[in-house]
Amino acid sequence: MDLIERIRAIMFSPAETWREIAREPAGPAILLQAYVAALAAIPAAADFIGMTVIGYVVAGQGVVRVEVLPSFMAALFTYGMAFVITSFQAIVIYAIAPVYGARRDMTSSFKLAVYSFTPAWLAGIFLIVPGLHFLVILGLYGLYILYKGVTPLVLCPPQRAFMYAAVATAFGVMAALITGFVRARLFSLPGIL
């Protein structure tokens, strides 16, 4: 799998790409090593640079830069939690499959979780500039990518596919928000969350 080509394909041609992914033998370990490891580094690195070099605007304090060590630890935490959240998302996709008439398949659930996070990881580049943080909302394009994938990968009936994808995405978003809150508290990041 060529990483750049896969990113382009899943972002711009998800329906066709899911059919190709469905035929691939890649399991969770390969996906974590070859895909998640590379893409999850984008938001972690961008946030680290944004916190230490550019800084955050904090009400009443102006621009605040975070020291290197807490920023680095927060970036490592963010990076590590990307693996946890992706795995959690796969478990949710697997667990709720029967509710939506889909088949339970952990490998396919993992593929769905991994590739549907692509827009969120790419949108993480906006963490480098504090004024652009709101653009991480573009990561919600992953809902559409997941929606396009649940029928070919876990055989979800098309009429139930959107709700299945929406519920799974909601769990992923909640996990990411909780992680962000915990990260801000653990590393005492000023004015963040």
Side-chain angles (χ1 to χ4, degrees):
M1 163 182 62
D2 177 49
L3 182 65
I4 301 300
E5 179 54 32
R6 177 50 53 88
I7 293 168
R8 187 205 59 74
I10 200 70
M11 292 293 291
F12 298 110
S13 308
E16 297 80 21
T17 305
W18 281 123
R19 287 191 290 276
E20 181 181 324
I21 290 169
R23 294 187 302 271
E24 294 174 352
I30 298 294
L31 292 170
L32 290 171
Q33 293 169 6
Y35 200 82
V36 177
L39 268 70
I42 295 170
D47 200 28
F48 173 75
I49 293 166
M51 285 190 287
T52 58
V53 177
I54 297 169
Y56 287 94
V57 177
V58 178
Q61 298 178 31
V63 175
V64 174
R65 287 178 187 79
V66 181
E67 292 179 21
V68 172
L69 185 60
S71 296
F72 183 71
M73 296 305 292
L76 281 179
F77 179 79
T78 299
Y79 184 69
M81 287 306 293
F83 292 85
V84 173
I85 292 170
T86 303
S87 299
F88 171 73
Q89 179 89 354
I91 292 166
V92 168
I93 292 168
Y94 177 83
I96 67 173
V99 174
Y100 297 96
R103 71 180 166 94
R104 281 187 164 168
D105 178 343
M106 188 48 106
T107 299
S108 293
S109 297
F110 227 92
K111 289 176 181 180
L112 287 164
V114 166
Y115 292 118
S116 68
F117 266 111
T118 301
W121 291 322
L122 294 177
I125 195 67
F126 295 116
L127 296 174
I128 206 164
V129 179
L132 298 180
H133 281 196
F134 71 95
L135 290 175
V136 298
I137 193 85
L138 296 174
L140 286 177
Y141 178 63
L143 168 61
Y144 177 75
I145 291 174
L146 183 58
Y147 161 68
K148 287 300 198 179
V150 294
T151 298
L153 266 75
V154 292
L155 308 177
C156 180
Q159 65 274 18
R160 301 178 89 184
F162 182 78
M163 189 54 77
Y164 183 23
V167 169
T169 299
F171 275 95
V173 168
M174 284 188 293
L177 289 173
I178 290 167
T179 297
F181 180 78
V182 169
R183 184 189 86 126
R185 297 300 171 246
L186 276 178
F187 303 105
S188 302
L189 301 176
I192 303 169
L193 292 179

